[in-house]
Amino acid sequence: MIFRISRNRLTRLTGGIAPMLRGNSFIPELNCIKMTLDGKMLTMEASDIHNHAVIKVEVDEVGLQGTGGAAFLLPGHYAGVLDKIGGEDVRFEYEDNSNRIEVLTDGFESAFAPLEIKSFPQQMDQEGETACFTIQDAPGFIDALSRLTPIPDTSEGCKFLHGIRIHAKNRTMELAALHGGTVLAVAELPSDAMEEAFEGAIMPVPAALHVVRMFKNAKTLDVAIGKRFTVFASDGVSICSRAIDGEYPNYRRIIPEGATGRIKIFGREWLRAIASAEGVTGREDGKEMKIRFSASGAQISMSGKDSREAKLDVYYELINGEIVDFEFMARSSLFRLATSVFDDEVELAVNGLRTPIVLSKGNMIALIMPLTPQKKAAK
């Protein structure tokens, strides 16, 4: 088997799937990229059992010994070597039943011993009801998915909270992520999904990170969602991931309808105030803080050791409605987590007592549940 391929193209493609490799698995195949040549089509595969990535690319200067295709395993660490060497093209030379694969570029020659392919993981079955559709705005989807991946609390005991729920219906696609029962983030995106509702799937955070990395430059994405799997594909690259079993909570019931008032806040300013309060009080990230809302502004306060207390005024702009005086208790780490979904300027909707506050911008919202029952602010 002889073939030649652009080095930059090869390293870009292998770089997208190499992080999936475990590197230290006792199953050798999970540490390698399987490369199969059939005619001028090179297929590269990587798997960690739960995720299976496939890349198909056409190569140049093909030569085959015998009939049919040929395959070998490229050690995962060798993909990094190819990224560091010079030259425009990489030329692979390998004879069936040989214990040596030669790799040649301009001014560089190397060789490695191929591993025997015994039982490379097969792509998982895609049986059962499936929703298939295309996302025309892949950059928007990848951006939203990357913003939601930090939200799930993977230390939470319920495994179905370790992922991001993907739901397709009525020409839209909805992504949702929960951090325990305290923070919720939701993104709604256009797609050509089927009209009838579909229950969707829960995609593990590692799978979501693979999708973000592999399709960061895609323009459109073909999607298939089943109860037990998700598939994303674009331009000869695809990844099939095993979904998390479980029933995702009905998060829609905790999102308030309407608002008594909407304000615009500047997230970075509020986060600086929170960090200053933590510094003054000696409190660690994640401790309780109080936000006092009033018609004239907002104030962040925090109590600490040795009776130390910090109170910092923060600015907001009223968009519509009115802001009644009330206090909202939250953990600083959760407020930081919710605002991380957005860049800086964001709308904040309040409904007064005993309700969450909702941050929103564009097609995304983030909701923060109160720590304790709220009470009217002292006047």
Tab-separated table of all heavy atoms in Angstrom, residues 170-231:
chain	number	residue	atom	x	y	z
A	170	ASN	N	-40.582	20.595	15.398
A	170	ASN	CA	-41.155	21.814	14.817
A	170	ASN	C	-40.109	22.746	14.214
A	170	ASN	O	-40.076	23.946	14.474
A	170	ASN	CB	-41.973	22.563	15.861
A	170	ASN	CG	-43.134	21.746	16.382
A	170	ASN	OD1	-43.674	20.907	15.659
A	170	ASN	ND2	-43.506	21.958	17.630
A	171	ARG	N	-39.210	22.171	13.430
A	171	ARG	CA	-38.196	22.951	12.718
A	171	ARG	C	-37.214	23.669	13.640
A	171	ARG	O	-36.585	24.656	13.255
A	171	ARG	CB	-38.854	23.971	11.786
A	171	ARG	CG	-39.829	23.362	10.788
A	171	ARG	CD	-39.123	22.400	9.859
A	171	ARG	NE	-40.063	21.703	8.983
A	171	ARG	CZ	-39.712	20.751	8.124
A	171	ARG	NH1	-38.440	20.389	8.048
A	171	ARG	NH2	-40.598	20.152	7.375
A	172	THR	N	-37.094	23.197	14.871
A	172	THR	CA	-36.128	23.781	15.796
A	172	THR	C	-35.336	22.665	16.464
A	172	THR	O	-35.721	21.493	16.449
A	172	THR	CB	-36.808	24.623	16.887
A	172	THR	OG1	-37.654	23.774	17.668
A	172	THR	CG2	-37.604	25.763	16.294
A	173	MET	N	-34.240	23.051	17.063
A	173	MET	CA	-33.417	22.125	17.840
A	173	MET	C	-33.113	22.809	19.169
A	173	MET	O	-32.681	23.958	19.202
A	173	MET	CB	-32.117	21.816	17.097
A	173	MET	CG	-31.218	20.827	17.811
A	173	MET	SD	-29.728	20.520	16.831
A	173	MET	CE	-29.074	19.081	17.669
A	174	GLU	N	-33.382	22.113	20.252
A	174	GLU	CA	-33.183	22.702	21.574
A	174	GLU	C	-32.105	21.947	22.334
A	174	GLU	O	-32.114	20.718	22.396
A	174	GLU	CB	-34.497	22.672	22.357
A	174	GLU	CG	-34.428	23.414	23.675
A	174	GLU	CD	-35.783	23.504	24.348
A	174	GLU	OE1	-36.519	24.473	24.075
A	174	GLU	OE2	-36.116	22.587	25.131
A	175	LEU	N	-31.171	22.703	22.899
A	175	LEU	CA	-30.132	22.142	23.760
A	175	LEU	C	-30.400	22.599	25.186
A	175	LEU	O	-30.734	23.762	25.409
A	175	LEU	CB	-28.744	22.627	23.328
A	175	LEU	CG	-28.341	22.431	21.866
A	175	LEU	CD1	-26.973	23.054	21.618
A	175	LEU	CD2	-28.325	20.956	21.512
A	176	ALA	N	-30.245	21.700	26.146
A	176	ALA	CA	-30.472	22.057	27.542
A	176	ALA	C	-29.415	21.402	28.419
A	176	ALA	O	-29.017	20.257	28.187
A	176	ALA	CB	-31.867	21.630	27.997
A	177	ALA	N	-28.960	22.138	29.443
A	177	ALA	CA	-27.972	21.615	30.389
A	177	ALA	C	-28.361	22.060	31.788
A	177	ALA	O	-28.742	23.215	31.999
A	177	ALA	CB	-26.575	22.118	30.043
A	178	LEU	N	-28.271	21.141	32.753
A	178	LEU	CA	-28.617	21.418	34.144
A	178	LEU	C	-27.402	21.220	35.037
A	178	LEU	O	-26.627	20.280	34.854
A	178	LEU	CB	-29.726	20.482	34.620
A	178	LEU	CG	-31.167	20.848	34.276
A	178	LEU	CD1	-32.076	19.649	34.483
A	178	LEU	CD2	-31.640	22.024	35.128
A	179	HIS	N	-27.236	22.128	35.991
A	179	HIS	CA	-26.223	21.960	37.033
A	179	HIS	C	-26.980	21.637	38.312
A	179	HIS	O	-27.450	22.538	39.023
A	179	HIS	CB	-25.406	23.238	37.195
A	179	HIS	CG	-24.262	23.096	38.156
A	179	HIS	ND1	-23.000	22.720	37.760
A	179	HIS	CD2	-24.192	23.251	39.508
A	179	HIS	CE1	-22.197	22.669	38.815
A	179	HIS	NE2	-22.904	22.980	39.883
A	180	GLY	N	-27.123	20.331	38.594
A	180	GLY	CA	-27.971	19.934	39.713
A	180	GLY	C	-29.369	20.473	39.487
A	180	GLY	O	-29.931	20.382	38.413
A	181	GLY	N	-29.934	21.093	40.507
A	181	GLY	CA	-31.234	21.729	40.353
A	181	GLY	C	-31.148	23.225	40.541
A	181	GLY	O	-32.138	23.869	40.883
A	182	THR	N	-29.954	23.790	40.313
A	182	THR	CA	-29.748	25.197	40.650
A	182	THR	C	-29.521	26.102	39.445
A	182	THR	O	-29.854	27.279	39.490
A	182	THR	CB	-28.543	25.344	41.604
A	182	THR	OG1	-27.407	24.685	41.016
A	182	THR	CG2	-28.839	24.714	42.953
A	183	VAL	N	-28.916	25.574	38.379
A	183	VAL	CA	-28.652	26.377	37.182
A	183	VAL	C	-29.146	25.613	35.956
A	183	VAL	O	-28.909	24.409	35.826
A	183	VAL	CB	-27.150	26.699	37.026
A	183	VAL	CG1	-26.881	27.419	35.705
A	183	VAL	CG2	-26.668	27.568	38.183
A	184	LEU	N	-29.830	26.311	35.080
A	184	LEU	CA	-30.318	25.735	33.834
A	184	LEU	C	-29.910	26.643	32.689
A	184	LEU	O	-30.038	27.862	32.783
A	184	LEU	CB	-31.849	25.604	33.867
A	184	LEU	CG	-32.565	25.372	32.525
A	184	LEU	CD1	-32.253	23.978	31.994
A	184	LEU	CD2	-34.063	25.568	32.678
A	185	ALA	N	-29.406	26.063	31.608
A	185	ALA	CA	-29.092	26.818	30.397
A	185	ALA	C	-29.767	26.149	29.214
A	185	ALA	O	-29.722	24.919	29.082
A	185	ALA	CB	-27.579	26.895	30.177
A	186	VAL	N	-30.409	26.947	28.367
A	186	VAL	CA	-31.150	26.419	27.220
A	186	VAL	C	-30.823	27.256	25.992
A	186	VAL	O	-30.758	28.489	26.067
A	186	VAL	CB	-32.677	26.459	27.467
A	186	VAL	CG1	-33.428	25.923	26.247
A	186	VAL	CG2	-33.046	25.652	28.707
A	187	ALA	N	-30.595	26.582	24.860
A	187	ALA	CA	-30.380	27.259	23.579
A	187	ALA	C	-31.351	26.673	22.573
A	187	ALA	O	-31.493	25.451	22.476
A	187	ALA	CB	-28.947	27.075	23.096
A	188	GLU	N	-32.033	27.537	21.827
A	188	GLU	CA	-32.963	27.093	20.790
A	188	GLU	C	-32.445	27.552	19.441
A	188	GLU	O	-32.183	28.738	19.244
A	188	GLU	CB	-34.362	27.657	21.052
A	188	GLU	CG	-35.433	27.036	20.172
A	188	GLU	CD	-36.827	27.433	20.596
A	188	GLU	OE1	-37.322	26.897	21.611
A	188	GLU	OE2	-37.413	28.297	19.918
A	189	LEU	N	-32.279	26.593	18.513
A	189	LEU	CA	-31.649	26.873	17.232
A	189	LEU	C	-32.541	26.413	16.090
A	189	LEU	O	-33.260	25.421	16.217
A	189	LEU	CB	-30.303	26.141	17.146
A	189	LEU	CG	-29.316	26.417	18.280
A	189	LEU	CD1	-28.275	25.333	18.338
A	189	LEU	CD2	-28.660	27.768	18.099
A	190	PRO	N	-32.483	27.105	14.947
A	190	PRO	CA	-33.277	26.660	13.791
A	190	PRO	C	-32.651	25.431	13.145
A	190	PRO	O	-31.439	25.246	13.154
A	190	PRO	CB	-33.226	27.870	12.850
A	190	PRO	CG	-31.945	28.565	13.203
A	190	PRO	CD	-31.773	28.364	14.688
A	191	SER	N	-33.485	24.567	12.588
A	191	SER	CA	-33.018	23.397	11.843
A	191	SER	C	-34.155	22.994	10.908
A	191	SER	O	-35.231	23.581	10.930
A	191	SER	CB	-32.670	22.242	12.785
A	191	SER	OG	-33.849	21.669	13.307
A	192	ASP	N	-33.932	21.970	10.097
A	192	ASP	CA	-35.026	21.478	9.268
A	192	ASP	C	-35.566	20.181	9.867
A	192	ASP	O	-35.948	19.257	9.172
A	192	ASP	CB	-34.572	21.270	7.818
A	192	ASP	CG	-33.529	20.163	7.677
A	192	ASP	OD1	-33.083	19.635	8.720
A	192	ASP	OD2	-33.168	19.827	6.542
A	193	ALA	N	-35.572	20.129	11.223
A	193	ALA	CA	-36.058	18.945	11.924
A	193	ALA	C	-37.519	18.683	11.574
A	193	ALA	O	-38.265	19.586	11.209
A	193	ALA	CB	-35.911	19.125	13.431
A	194	MET	N	-37.919	17.425	11.726
A	194	MET	CA	-39.277	17.038	11.371
A	194	MET	C	-40.294	17.774	12.232
A	194	MET	O	-40.009	18.217	13.336
A	194	MET	CB	-39.439	15.530	11.548
A	194	MET	CG	-39.132	15.022	12.948
A	194	MET	SD	-39.173	13.237	13.014
A	194	MET	CE	-38.815	12.964	14.744
A	195	GLU	N	-41.514	17.877	11.715
A	195	GLU	CA	-42.558	18.630	12.380
A	195	GLU	C	-42.975	17.996	13.705
A	195	GLU	O	-43.164	18.678	14.697
A	195	GLU	CB	-43.787	18.749	11.463
A	195	GLU	CG	-43.546	19.594	10.219
A	195	GLU	CD	-43.425	21.080	10.529
A	195	GLU	OE1	-43.727	21.475	11.669
A	195	GLU	OE2	-43.013	21.826	9.639
A	196	GLU	N	-43.115	16.654	13.713
A	196	GLU	CA	-43.599	16.019	14.926
A	196	GLU	C	-42.515	16.012	16.003
A	196	GLU	O	-41.330	15.988	15.716
A	196	GLU	CB	-44.066	14.576	14.646
A	196	GLU	CG	-42.979	13.649	14.116
A	196	GLU	CD	-42.917	13.664	12.607
A	196	GLU	OE1	-43.395	14.642	11.989
A	196	GLU	OE2	-42.371	12.700	12.051
A	197	ALA	N	-42.963	16.041	17.252
A	197	ALA	CA	-42.026	16.101	18.380
A	197	ALA	C	-41.235	14.800	18.484
A	197	ALA	O	-41.705	13.734	18.106
A	197	ALA	CB	-42.788	16.346	19.673
A	198	PHE	N	-40.033	14.895	19.007
A	198	PHE	CA	-39.192	13.722	19.214
A	198	PHE	C	-38.535	13.865	20.577
A	198	PHE	O	-38.076	14.948	20.947
A	198	PHE	CB	-38.138	13.623	18.109
A	198	PHE	CG	-37.247	12.417	18.237
A	198	PHE	CD1	-37.733	11.155	17.961
A	198	PHE	CD2	-35.938	12.556	18.651
A	198	PHE	CE1	-36.926	10.039	18.093
A	198	PHE	CE2	-35.124	11.453	18.785
A	198	PHE	CZ	-35.617	10.189	18.501
A	199	GLU	N	-38.503	12.790	21.344
A	199	GLU	CA	-38.039	12.876	22.721
A	199	GLU	C	-36.567	13.273	22.834
A	199	GLU	O	-36.146	13.854	23.802
A	199	GLU	CB	-38.265	11.543	23.439
A	199	GLU	CG	-39.733	11.270	23.725
A	199	GLU	CD	-40.369	12.370	24.556
A	199	GLU	OE1	-39.741	12.856	25.506
A	199	GLU	OE2	-41.498	12.760	24.227
A	200	GLY	N	-35.771	12.936	21.827
A	200	GLY	CA	-34.383	13.355	21.839
A	200	GLY	C	-33.471	12.429	22.622
A	200	GLY	O	-33.836	11.323	23.001
A	201	ALA	N	-32.252	12.899	22.878
A	201	ALA	CA	-31.242	12.085	23.550
A	201	ALA	C	-30.415	12.967	24.478
A	201	ALA	O	-30.389	14.194	24.347
A	201	ALA	CB	-30.335	11.414	22.513
A	202	ILE	N	-29.721	12.322	25.422
A	202	ILE	CA	-28.837	13.019	26.354
A	202	ILE	C	-27.404	12.712	25.939
A	202	ILE	O	-26.943	11.568	26.058
A	202	ILE	CB	-29.080	12.583	27.800
A	202	ILE	CG1	-30.570	12.736	28.164
A	202	ILE	CG2	-28.222	13.402	28.755
A	202	ILE	CD1	-30.941	12.140	29.509
A	203	MET	N	-26.692	13.712	25.443
A	203	MET	CA	-25.334	13.521	24.950
A	203	MET	C	-24.335	13.806	26.070
A	203	MET	O	-24.347	14.895	26.652
A	203	MET	CB	-25.067	14.452	23.761
A	203	MET	CG	-23.684	14.298	23.166
A	203	MET	SD	-23.506	15.126	21.557
A	203	MET	CE	-23.910	16.820	21.980
A	204	PRO	N	-23.452	12.857	26.410
A	204	PRO	CA	-22.453	13.091	27.458
A	204	PRO	C	-21.568	14.290	27.121
A	204	PRO	O	-21.312	14.577	25.945
A	204	PRO	CB	-21.646	11.790	27.477
A	204	PRO	CG	-22.529	10.772	26.833
A	204	PRO	CD	-23.342	11.515	25.820
A	205	VAL	N	-21.097	14.975	28.143
A	205	VAL	CA	-20.240	16.140	27.929
A	205	VAL	C	-18.997	15.807	27.103
A	205	VAL	O	-18.639	16.568	26.198
A	205	VAL	CB	-19.847	16.777	29.289
A	205	VAL	CG1	-18.735	17.812	29.110
A	205	VAL	CG2	-21.066	17.440	29.927
A	206	PRO	N	-18.283	14.677	27.365
A	206	PRO	CA	-17.118	14.364	26.512
A	206	PRO	C	-17.479	14.254	25.039
A	206	PRO	O	-16.720	14.691	24.173
A	206	PRO	CB	-16.623	13.024	27.069
A	206	PRO	CG	-17.080	13.014	28.489
A	206	PRO	CD	-18.412	13.700	28.469
A	207	ALA	N	-18.651	13.685	24.733
A	207	ALA	CA	-19.085	13.581	23.337
A	207	ALA	C	-19.337	14.964	22.755
A	207	ALA	O	-18.990	15.238	21.599
A	207	ALA	CB	-20.349	12.726	23.240
A	208	ALA	N	-19.943	15.848	23.548
A	208	ALA	CA	-20.195	17.212	23.084
A	208	ALA	C	-18.879	17.932	22.786
A	208	ALA	O	-18.769	18.671	21.799
A	208	ALA	CB	-21.000	17.982	24.133
A	209	LEU	N	-17.872	17.706	23.614
A	209	LEU	CA	-16.570	18.333	23.385
A	209	LEU	C	-15.931	17.804	22.103
A	209	LEU	O	-15.281	18.559	21.372
A	209	LEU	CB	-15.649	18.090	24.588
A	209	LEU	CG	-16.065	18.789	25.891
A	209	LEU	CD1	-15.188	18.323	27.052
A	209	LEU	CD2	-15.976	20.301	25.735
A	210	HIS	N	-16.097	16.508	21.827
A	210	HIS	CA	-15.590	15.951	20.567
A	210	HIS	C	-16.268	16.621	19.382
A	210	HIS	O	-15.622	16.961	18.382
A	210	HIS	CB	-15.845	14.438	20.516
A	210	HIS	CG	-14.999	13.636	21.445
A	210	HIS	ND1	-13.654	13.914	21.663
A	210	HIS	CD2	-15.299	12.544	22.219
A	210	HIS	CE1	-13.177	13.035	22.532
A	210	HIS	NE2	-14.137	12.205	22.874
A	211	VAL	N	-17.580	16.809	19.457
A	211	VAL	CA	-18.324	17.436	18.362
A	211	VAL	C	-17.848	18.867	18.150
A	211	VAL	O	-17.631	19.306	17.019
A	211	VAL	CB	-19.843	17.401	18.657
A	211	VAL	CG1	-20.615	18.255	17.657
A	211	VAL	CG2	-20.362	15.967	18.611
A	212	VAL	N	-17.663	19.611	19.233
A	212	VAL	CA	-17.191	21.004	19.129
A	212	VAL	C	-15.829	21.066	18.448
A	212	VAL	O	-15.592	21.895	17.562
A	212	VAL	CB	-17.127	21.649	20.532
A	212	VAL	CG1	-16.389	22.986	20.477
A	212	VAL	CG2	-18.533	21.850	21.089
A	213	ARG	N	-14.938	20.176	18.853
A	213	ARG	CA	-13.582	20.184	18.303
A	213	ARG	C	-13.553	19.749	16.836
A	213	ARG	O	-12.859	20.359	16.008
A	213	ARG	CB	-12.686	19.278	19.135
A	213	ARG	CG	-11.228	19.246	18.685
A	213	ARG	CD	-10.378	18.424	19.614
A	213	ARG	NE	-10.888	17.071	19.764
A	213	ARG	CZ	-11.495	16.613	20.850
A	213	ARG	NH1	-11.679	17.408	21.883
A	213	ARG	NH2	-11.930	15.368	20.917
A	214	MET	N	-14.321	18.725	16.487
A	214	MET	CA	-14.247	18.161	15.141
A	214	MET	C	-14.980	19.004	14.098
A	214	MET	O	-14.629	18.971	12.916
A	214	MET	CB	-14.811	16.737	15.140
A	214	MET	CG	-13.949	15.740	15.909
A	214	MET	SD	-14.688	14.086	16.007
A	214	MET	CE	-14.727	13.641	14.280
A	215	PHE	N	-15.989	19.780	14.533
A	215	PHE	CA	-16.803	20.500	13.555
A	215	PHE	C	-16.748	22.018	13.747
A	215	PHE	O	-17.660	22.725	13.348
A	215	PHE	CB	-18.252	20.012	13.627
A	215	PHE	CG	-18.415	18.560	13.300
A	215	PHE	CD1	-18.694	17.638	14.301
A	215	PHE	CD2	-18.261	18.107	11.999
A	215	PHE	CE1	-18.836	16.287	14.006
A	215	PHE	CE2	-18.398	16.759	11.695
A	215	PHE	CZ	-18.680	15.848	12.699
A	216	LYS	N	-15.663	22.502	14.339
A	216	LYS	CA	-15.568	23.945	14.590
A	216	LYS	C	-15.505	24.762	13.309
A	216	LYS	O	-15.820	25.960	13.324
A	216	LYS	CB	-14.351	24.239	15.461
A	216	LYS	CG	-13.017	23.827	14.855
A	216	LYS	CD	-11.877	24.081	15.819
A	216	LYS	CE	-10.538	23.621	15.244
A	216	LYS	NZ	-9.427	23.832	16.196
A	217	ASN	N	-15.127	24.137	12.184
A	217	ASN	CA	-15.057	24.866	10.909
A	217	ASN	C	-16.154	24.453	9.930
A	217	ASN	O	-16.144	24.876	8.774
A	217	ASN	CB	-13.688	24.644	10.258
A	217	ASN	CG	-12.550	25.206	11.100
A	217	ASN	OD1	-12.657	26.295	11.642
A	217	ASN	ND2	-11.460	24.461	11.222
A	218	ALA	N	-17.091	23.633	10.376
A	218	ALA	CA	-18.163	23.167	9.486
A	218	ALA	C	-19.160	24.289	9.200
A	218	ALA	O	-19.385	25.165	10.034
A	218	ALA	CB	-18.884	21.978	10.110
A	219	LYS	N	-19.745	24.259	8.022
A	219	LYS	CA	-20.766	25.242	7.650
A	219	LYS	C	-22.167	24.694	7.882
A	219	LYS	O	-23.064	25.428	8.292
A	219	LYS	CB	-20.582	25.650	6.190
A	219	LYS	CG	-19.279	26.400	5.934
A	219	LYS	CD	-19.165	26.821	4.475
A	219	LYS	CE	-17.862	27.583	4.244
A	219	LYS	NZ	-17.725	27.997	2.820
A	220	THR	N	-22.375	23.404	7.579
A	220	THR	CA	-23.644	22.735	7.858
A	220	THR	C	-23.354	21.416	8.555
A	220	THR	O	-22.238	20.882	8.473
A	220	THR	CB	-24.449	22.468	6.569
A	220	THR	OG1	-23.700	21.574	5.726
A	220	THR	CG2	-24.734	23.765	5.824
A	221	LEU	N	-24.359	20.876	9.234
A	221	LEU	CA	-24.199	19.611	9.943
A	221	LEU	C	-25.412	18.728	9.689
A	221	LEU	O	-26.558	19.181	9.830
A	221	LEU	CB	-24.072	19.852	11.457
A	221	LEU	CG	-22.685	20.060	12.052
A	221	LEU	CD1	-22.806	20.369	13.535
A	221	LEU	CD2	-21.791	18.857	11.834
A	222	ASP	N	-25.165	17.486	9.313
A	222	ASP	CA	-26.232	16.491	9.239
A	222	ASP	C	-26.302	15.783	10.586
A	222	ASP	O	-25.276	15.359	11.129
A	222	ASP	CB	-25.956	15.481	8.123
A	222	ASP	CG	-25.996	16.123	6.748
A	222	ASP	OD1	-26.852	17.006	6.540
A	222	ASP	OD2	-25.164	15.751	5.889
A	223	VAL	N	-27.510	15.657	11.109
A	223	VAL	CA	-27.691	15.143	12.467
A	223	VAL	C	-28.688	13.983	12.462
A	223	VAL	O	-29.685	14.019	11.744
A	223	VAL	CB	-28.202	16.250	13.417
A	223	VAL	CG1	-28.305	15.729	14.845
A	223	VAL	CG2	-27.291	17.469	13.360
A	224	ALA	N	-28.392	12.971	13.257
A	224	ALA	CA	-29.330	11.880	13.517
A	224	ALA	C	-29.382	11.674	15.030
A	224	ALA	O	-28.334	11.535	15.672
A	224	ALA	CB	-28.899	10.600	12.813
A	225	ILE	N	-30.579	11.709	15.582
A	225	ILE	CA	-30.744	11.552	17.025
A	225	ILE	C	-31.650	10.366	17.303
A	225	ILE	O	-32.776	10.299	16.813
A	225	ILE	CB	-31.351	12.814	17.668
A	225	ILE	CG1	-30.475	14.035	17.411
A	225	ILE	CG2	-31.524	12.612	19.171
A	225	ILE	CD1	-31.076	15.320	17.929
A	226	GLY	N	-31.138	9.428	18.062
A	226	GLY	CA	-31.940	8.300	18.526
A	226	GLY	C	-31.976	8.308	20.033
A	226	GLY	O	-31.298	9.101	20.687
A	227	LYS	N	-32.757	7.425	20.610
A	227	LYS	CA	-32.852	7.353	22.065
A	227	LYS	C	-31.519	6.971	22.684
A	227	LYS	O	-31.178	7.423	23.771
A	227	LYS	CB	-33.923	6.324	22.464
A	227	LYS	CG	-34.223	6.263	23.950
A	227	LYS	CD	-34.883	7.520	24.458
A	227	LYS	CE	-35.267	7.401	25.929
A	227	LYS	NZ	-35.843	8.654	26.459
A	228	ARG	N	-30.717	6.157	21.968
A	228	ARG	CA	-29.470	5.646	22.537
A	228	ARG	C	-28.210	6.160	21.851
A	228	ARG	O	-27.106	5.731	22.175
A	228	ARG	CB	-29.474	4.110	22.493
A	228	ARG	CG	-30.617	3.479	23.273
A	228	ARG	CD	-30.558	1.972	23.222
A	228	ARG	NE	-31.659	1.364	23.952
A	228	ARG	CZ	-31.679	1.176	25.270
A	228	ARG	NH1	-30.642	1.561	25.988
A	228	ARG	NH2	-32.710	0.616	25.845
A	229	PHE	N	-28.350	7.083	20.893
A	229	PHE	CA	-27.156	7.545	20.179
A	229	PHE	C	-27.412	8.913	19.556
A	229	PHE	O	-28.556	9.355	19.398
A	229	PHE	CB	-26.769	6.550	19.078
A	229	PHE	CG	-27.797	6.465	17.975
A	229	PHE	CD1	-27.726	7.309	16.872
A	229	PHE	CD2	-28.851	5.565	18.054
A	229	PHE	CE1	-28.683	7.252	15.876
A	229	PHE	CE2	-29.802	5.495	17.056
A	229	PHE	CZ	-29.722	6.348	15.963
A	230	THR	N	-26.304	9.583	19.210
A	230	THR	CA	-26.350	10.799	18.399
A	230	THR	C	-25.280	10.682	17.323
A	230	THR	O	-24.206	10.106	17.560
A	230	THR	CB	-26.072	12.069	19.232
A	230	THR	OG1	-24.772	11.963	19.833
A	230	THR	CG2	-27.121	12.263	20.312
A	231	VAL	N	-25.572	11.188	16.131
A	231	VAL	CA	-24.610	11.178	15.028
A	231	VAL	C	-24.548	12.584	14.440
A	231	VAL	O	-25.588	13.185	14.148
A	231	VAL	CB	-25.012	10.171	13.928
A	231	VAL	CG1	-23.991	10.218	12.787
A	231	VAL	CG2	-25.106	8.758	14.492
